[in-house]
Amino acid sequence: MPTKTLGASSLTLGAETRDWTRVVAPGTYVSEALAGISSPQSVQKGIKATKVARRGQLAKRVLTISEDRYALFVTHKKLSNGKKGVSFRVASTLKTPFKAIRGIFVQPAGITGGGESFVRYIDVADINGVQEGVIGTQKLELAQDKLDKKRDEIVTIIHHGNRTVDVALANPEKRTEFMRVVKEMIDVYQDTKSRVGNEELLLRYIWYDVDANRDGSIGLKEFSKILLRINLKKKNASKIFKKYCKEVGESSNVGISYHQLMCLIQRIKSGHYDDAKKDILSSNIIWDSVFGSEVTHVSSEDFLNHFLVATQHETNAKLTDVQFMFMEINDMEINRENEEIRQNHISRTRFEMFLHHESNDAYDPKKQEFDQATLNEPISKYWINSSHNTYLTGDQLRSASSVECYMNALRRGCKCLELDCWDGENKFNNVPVVFHGYTLTSKIAFEEIILAVKGYVKSNPDTYPIILSLENHCSHPYQSSMAKMLKDILGISLWCPDKAEIEHGNLPSPESLRGKVIVKGKRPPETKEEEEKELPTNDEPEEDDPYDETNSGRAAKAAGGKKPKIVKELADLTLFHGTKYTSFQTSIAEPPSHMHSICEPKIDKILSKDDGANAKLWRSYNANHMTRTYPSGVRINSSNYNPVLAWSTGSQLVALNFQTADTPLLLNDGLFKQNGNCGYVKKPDSVLGQSGMKSSTQLRIRILCGSCLPKPNGATEGEYIDPYVLVAVHDVKNENGKESYVTSKVLETKTEDDNGFCPMWNQTKFETATIHNPDVAMIEFSLQESDPLIDDNVANASIPFSCLRRGYRSIQLYDTHNTRSGPFGFATLVVEIDYDPS
């Protein structure tokens, strides 16, 4: 949709938009916490900004944060109302007639006067983060010539996974205040939302999208919109609504309140208006089987003994833990009719909420907690979140290269970034560039990537080490430029190794390298130490190898001279030195800083040799040295190989294409949720070679129900979804001494038609799968939407088997960007899991 040309006379706000800002939100604990954030009047009245559009155009805009801190507005003009101003008492803020995901520019319905073209708002639940001072999106790259000298003014708001609003804020004081308020909004929302039920949060999130007349109540037409929005189809919805209004003494023409609406939805969910479906709630089935059908409240003692210990297998749980949990659960904000709260007891209603709560996550919360004490061993002892050809936005042959991909990877938790470095051309002022050599992919300046990494480290000073994996095809002058840029831009953030120490001592620990950037490449430049030569299928000619067929290399050969070496100033910055793999018996005697890069097809070949003995040798090598693995060159569509087999060898840098959210990348997300998503996970003793492999076991699982499941891509419009769940195991099997990757589908539920709000599968039979290697196996949960043509993936969760808890557990679902932002923040499953503990 084209925008109107901005002019002084056109920058006025339509009356209807001003009315939107007066709506009072449904109050929640989150509302109270957000309202407590200190915000200067300048931020609430609006800050002048220069917005960067999709094609790099610049436009004048105003950024405004609502008084209740629930939302960010992007408008053409300050939200004013004559002399009195406007009260921004809003929650989800504007009534949004959006055609897709919220936060996209639209033409607001009913606005005809005042010259207003667009109003945009972003709910606090949609915001993933902010970055400052970085040209780190494709939009900003297109506007770089206009913003290059104004980098300090740049602010990027990341929302809905990886969408961005990019602006320049010229006033430094207002920019600082704006950044502070937005960051506090994010932190407070994330910290307090666990005190409100997911269903309540979802309704708060969509309230103003459907409250058409913005009167704070929901009428009949709006009720139908809400049911469609939350994916809860109900026959005779109009009749039910009118009946409920009569019961509570409200006119169906006037509508019902937020609290009344929640109570009505609960009645529908529990089958109050459908006798055939009464008491089908999974939580009631579990409650009745554990505590008895006549019981309305359970004491903390009974809950501990009969549920946590006997059913959930939490044998270390204490009575004080249960009492504290009850206090928190009973204090949570939900809207139910005639609910009775008893001290040190839990009711059926609260039990249902507990089952879906993050504290009941199947992914052990203790394993997800950050543990600094685990990060003091040599870096070779860890799996490290790693990317391949990080610069690419799409396929390996024709797609664009962008700094945005580096920022997306870093925010996703990646700690090893790849840069394919080549001599630049005239238009790049003869500076090194990064692109996929001998292809049609576009080029970006090496310097811009290093500036972006520096910006990330500045914003995240406690980050664990970021590894720059340099595939160096540059001639000497360009290598010298690379070294100078690394030192000048990164400064004290660049870790410069001591040659004697790295040649004869152990590798440094992640903790000792905190806040640092380290270099992987070539050092020292001995000609005999060439990088591993790739198989014919590989797309990366001798990774990290400066001797490949670059322009300078061909020139040197033609002149009859020796192959060029890495310049000393770049070699001196390099910690990890790539060497050619011949055998692990030979490699294991090399200094710990010497490492290998192994292409996907060669992983299987190595493991199949010597009757499987190479698997143990590779793990022994990786206990003190490093290995990087990466996708085969035939994957021109940037698909990924499954990382589980490479992880089982102890390879630390299992590099994946981060631009492709396929199953391997989602498994990678799941593994690295451990240890606070810091990017470093200590390898288990069996993978370190310090103990034998654990015995195989049987996984038993059944799917019970879901809650608050969104439409594909979090869309605000579309039909009611028809969800079903797939569960798969990704594992490594040792058969006749040879280790290989195996996968199996554990189960597929039936489709629950027209119900994403509270689908009930209530599987009675456990499905079983063999777990061959409990230390590396991954369990994948995939929520799908049945479609007559092609089924859509809706949300996912991947959990290491070693982190999987037994009992009735919740599965917290994520979008394809590995976030729970927006409508994904409320989506969960409840499953029952069992296996034989080791």
Side-chain angles (χ1 to χ4, degrees):
M1 184 182 295
T3 59
K4 294 182 180 180
T5 303
L6 296 178
S9 61
S10 70
L11 293 180
T12 58
L13 196 70
E16 184 166 340
T17 303
R18 289 199 304 268
D19 290 341
W20 286 343
T21 65
R22 296 193 182 100
V23 180
V24 178
T28 66
Y29 285 134
V30 177
S31 304
E32 296 172 7
L34 287 172
I37 297 174
S38 173
S39 177
Q41 285 295 312
S42 60
V43 175
Q44 295 175 28
K45 290 182 177 180
I47 299 174
K48 292 181 180 179
T50 300
K51 181 183 175 295
V52 183
R54 182 175 299 176
R55 295 181 176 83
Q57 315 99 306
L58 303 184
K60 294 180 180 180
R61 293 291 185 270
V62 175
L63 302 182
T64 308
I65 293 175
S66 60
E67 281 187 2
D68 59 9
R69 326 295 185 261
Y70 254 119
L72 165 68
F73 298 87
V74 183
T75 57
H76 287 69
K77 184 70 173 176
K78 287 189 177 183
L79 299 177
S80 59
N81 188 25
K83 297 180 180 179
K84 296 182 179 180
V86 173
S87 172
F88 298 99
R89 300 300 302 172
V90 290
S92 188
T93 64
L94 310 179
K95 174 257 183 180
T96 50
F98 293 176
K99 301 301 181 185
I101 297 177
R102 303 193 313 173
I104 299 175
F105 279 101
V106 297
Q107 178 73 46
I111 290 189
T112 55
E116 183 175 357
S117 297
F118 297 101
V119 174
R120 185 178 193 176
Y121 89 97
I122 304 174
D123 191 274
V124 65
D126 296 322
I127 303 177
N128 301 106
V130 289
Q131 64 189 35
E132 185 178 11
V134 176
I135 296 180
T137 70
Q138 294 184 72
K139 289 180 287 185
L140 289 169
E141 288 173 313
L142 291 171
Q144 184 167 341
D145 57 335
K146 307 166 190 172
L147 298 174
D148 200 30
K149 296 182 180 180
K150 300 179 180 181
R151 289 177 184 258
D152 291 343
E153 299 179 9
I154 295 173
V155 172
T156 296
I157 298 104
I158 304 100
H159 62 96
H160 292 95
N162 64 358
R163 295 174 183 266
T164 63
V165 171
D166 302 285
V167 296
L169 300 177
N171 187 305
E173 291 80 14
K174 291 182 179 179
R175 182 172 65 248
T176 299
E177 283 298 303
F178 176 81
M179 289 289 290
R180 177 188 64 78
V181 174
V182 173
K183 288 178 180 179
E184 285 190 36
M185 286 167 58
I186 298 170
D187 291 342
V188 168
Y189 179 79
Q190 295 301 324
D191 288 344
T192 58
K193 69 176 185 178
S194 62
R195 297 184 63 191
V196 182
N198 282 338
E199 294 171 355
E200 281 71 18
L201 287 171
L202 172 60
L203 192 60
R204 196 289 304 169
Y205 179 72
I206 70 170
W207 183 265
Y208 294 97
D209 293 358
V210 292
D211 182 14
N213 58 8
R214 295 169 299 283
D215 62 355
S217 62
I218 296 297
L220 179 56
K221 290 184 179 180
E222 296 162 329
F223 177 64
S224 298
K225 290 181 180 179
I226 282 182
L227 292 181
L228 179 58
R229 182 68 182 275
I230 67 176
N231 296 303
L232 180 60
K233 188 173 184 179
K234 186 63 182 174
K235 293 181 179 179
N236 303 318
S238 298
K239 183 178 179 181
I240 290 173
F241 183 80
K242 292 177 181 178
K243 181 178 180 181
Y244 179 79
C245 288
K246 186 176 181 179
E247 290 174 358
V248 297
E250 301 286 357
S251 167
S252 60
N253 295 324
V254 174
I256 56 178
S257 68
Y258 170 81
H259 171 74
Q260 291 169 330
L261 176 63
M262 279 303 309
C263 293
L264 173 56
I265 289 175
Q266 291 305 313
R267 287 190 182 189
I268 294 173
K269 188 178 85 170
S270 63
H272 180 85
Y273 297 103
D274 186 351
D275 292 336
K277 290 191 175 182
K278 279 190 177 179
D279 300 323
I280 64 167
L281 293 180
S282 301
S283 57
N284 283 340
I285 296 173
I286 299 169
W287 178 281
D288 293 347
S289 67
V290 177
F291 306 118
S293 59
E294 302 301 320
V295 177
T296 60
H297 292 74
V298 172
S299 69
S300 52
E301 292 87 350
D302 286 345
F303 191 86
L304 172 65
N305 296 325
H306 298 301
F307 189 69
L308 285 190
V309 175
T311 305
Q312 304 292 80
H313 306 284
E314 296 184 29
T315 55
N316 294 325
K318 300 177 182 178
L319 182 60
T320 52
D321 298 330
V322 178
Q323 291 171 341
F324 180 76
M325 182 189 73
F326 278 10
M327 183 175 65
E328 289 195 323
I329 292 293
N330 287 330
D331 192 46
M332 285 181 65
E333 179 184 331
I334 62 174
N335 288 269
R336 302 293 187 272
E337 293 178 293
N338 305 318
E339 184 188 16
E340 179 186 359
I341 300 293
R342 298 181 188 175
Q343 187 175 6
N344 289 328
H345 285 71
I346 191 170
S347 66
R348 282 178 180 266
T349 299
R350 300 282 165 167
F351 179 69
E352 180 194 6
M353 190 167 55
F354 163 77
L355 287 174
H356 290 276
H357 198 263
E358 60 188 22
S359 63
N360 190 45
D361 198 342
Y363 198 135
D364 190 344
K366 291 183 179 179
K367 296 290 184 70
Q368 296 185 64
E369 291 176 359
F370 172 64
D371 186 357
Q372 184 176 352
T374 65
L375 293 160
N376 289 304
E377 298 191 42
I379 198 170
S380 59
K381 307 293 185 185
Y382 301 85
W383 286 315
I384 304 170
N385 201 342
S386 306
S387 63
H388 168 255
N389 286 0
T390 316
Y391 46 88
L392 290 179
T393 59
D395 67 65
Q396 302 286 311
L397 297 180
R398 303 174 64 91
S399 68
S401 304
S402 176
V403 175
E404 179 176 323
C405 298
Y406 288 89
M407 300 309 295
N408 287 342
L410 286 167
R411 286 193 295 269
R412 197 163 188 145
C414 183
K415 289 295 182 282
C416 181
L417 311 171
E418 185 176 22
L419 297 81
D420 291 2
C421 307
W422 299 78
D423 290 0
E425 301 169 351
N426 290 337
K427 71 174 183 177
F428 289 97
N429 298 318
N430 295 316
V431 299
V433 296
V434 171
F435 78 112
H436 200 191
Y438 309 114
T439 70
L440 298 177
T441 58
S442 64
K443 302 173 183 177
I444 49 177
F446 175 85
E447 181 181 24
E448 290 302 320
I449 299 169
I450 306 306
L451 284 166
V453 171
K454 176 61 177 179
Y456 180 85
V457 174
K458 182 180 178 182
S459 299
N460 302 272
D462 292 328
T463 182
Y464 280 86
I466 297 171
I467 302 169
L468 301 182
S469 180
L470 304 183
E471 184 181 321
N472 193 346
H473 302 272
C474 290
S475 59
H476 282 191
Y478 287 87
Q479 291 180 29
S480 298
S481 295
M482 289 167 59
K484 186 175 188 303
M485 290 174 188
L486 287 167
K487 289 186 286 187
D488 291 350
I489 295 171
L490 296 175
I492 60 172
S493 298
L494 179 65
W495 192 79
C496 300
D498 178 86
K499 185 174 182 180
E501 182 179 349
I502 61 175
E503 287 295 328
H504 305 290
N506 290 326
L507 292 170
S509 70
E511 182 63 34
S512 69
L513 296 171
R514 201 166 187 177
K516 299 295 183 181
V517 178
I518 56 182
V519 176
K520 167 189 171 295
K522 279 286 187 177
R523 188 217 77 253
E526 313 297 342
T527 22
K528 64 179 181 179
E529 292 183 339
E530 297 181 350
E531 180 65 67
E532 174 203 7
K533 296 186 183 300
E534 310 299 350
L535 298 176
T537 55
N538 180 32
D539 63 327
E540 298 183 12
E542 295 190 2
E543 178 183 322
D544 303 328
D545 188 358
Y547 315 134
D548 196 63
E549 294 297 311
T550 60
N551 294 331
S552 57
R554 286 194 295 271
K557 289 180 181 179
K562 295 182 179 179
K563 294 178 180 179
K565 299 180 179 181
I566 293 289
V567 296
K568 184 178 185 302
E569 53 263 46
L570 184 57
D572 287 346
L573 304 180
T574 304
L575 169 60
F576 297 118
H577 168 52
T579 64
K580 181 181 178 181
Y581 166 77
T582 55
S583 72
F584 289 118
Q585 291 93 332
T586 301
S587 301
I588 208 163
E590 295 178 347
S593 62
H594 289 205
M595 65 170 290
H596 296 317
S597 290
I598 306 293
C599 187
E600 171 192 348
K602 199 164 186 177
I603 298 171
D604 213 37
K605 289 189 175 183
I606 291 174
L607 292 175
S608 64
K609 290 182 178 180
D610 299 326
D611 296 323
N614 266 344
K616 291 183 179 179
L617 285 172
W618 199 348
R619 280 189 280 271
S620 296
Y621 171 82
N622 283 332
N624 299 299
H625 299 76
M626 304 281 284
T627 298
R628 179 179 184 267
T629 65
Y630 56 93
S632 167
V634 300
R635 296 183 180 274
I636 59 175
N637 63 347
S638 295
S639 62
N640 283 303
Y641 62 111
N642 196 290
V644 172
L645 182 60
W647 287 334
S648 75
T649 68
S651 297
Q652 298 85 354
L653 305 171
V654 181
L656 301 175
N657 292 305
F658 269 53
Q659 71 271 40
T660 306
D662 51 11
T663 291
L665 186 63
L666 300 178
L667 296 179
N668 191 75
D669 293 336
L671 178 75
F672 287 102
K673 283 186 174 67
Q674 294 179 80
N675 210 6
N677 200 31
C678 74
Y680 287 78
V681 173
K682 178 79 178 297
K683 292 183 284 186
D685 289 346
S686 64
V687 177
L688 287 168
Q690 297 173 356
S691 68
M693 292 294 178
K694 291 181 179 178
S695 301
S696 63
T697 187
Q698 296 295 306
L699 171 66
R700 296 176 291 278
I701 189 166
R702 62 189 182 111
I703 308 298
L704 301 176
C705 65
S707 177
C708 303
L709 307 181
K711 301 182 194 299
N713 300 314
T716 60
E717 291 192 348
E719 62 185 7
Y720 298 94
I721 67 168
D722 307 317
Y724 66 95
V725 179
L726 296 172
V727 180
V729 170
H730 302 267
D731 201 355
V732 172
K733 184 178 182 180
N734 188 322
E735 194 167 20
N736 300 321
K738 181 184 181 299
E739 295 184 12
S740 59
Y741 162 71
V742 292
T743 183
S744 60
K745 184 171 77 173
V746 181
L747 64 83
E748 177 178 340
T749 68
K750 64 179 179 63
T751 297
E752 184 74 4
D753 294 333
D754 299 325
N755 187 357
F757 184 71
C758 53
M760 302 291 166
W761 291 285
N762 287 331
Q763 290 185 314
T764 57
K765 179 185 175 182
F766 278 104
E767 300 293 342
T768 303
T770 299
I771 304 297
H772 299 283
N773 190 332
D775 280 335
V776 300
M778 297 289 298
I779 315 302
E780 176 194 12
F781 296 86
S782 178
L783 176 67
Q784 301 287 316
E785 207 268 314
S786 181
D787 188 88
L789 297 177
I790 300 176
D791 292 355
D792 294 312
N793 177 262
V794 179
N796 306 272
S798 297
I799 306 176
F801 178 80
S802 60
C803 301
L804 196 65
R805 294 201 292 177
R806 301 161 70 195
Y808 296 103
R809 299 295 181 182
S810 71
I811 304 295
Q812 307 291 302
L813 295 172
Y814 290 77
D815 62 18
T816 55
H817 306 292
N818 195 31
T819 77
R820 281 177 55 78
S821 63
F824 294 91
F826 327 116
T828 59
L829 304 173
V830 172
V831 305
E832 186 177 10
I833 299 166
D834 198 14
Y835 53 83
D836 300 322
S838 56

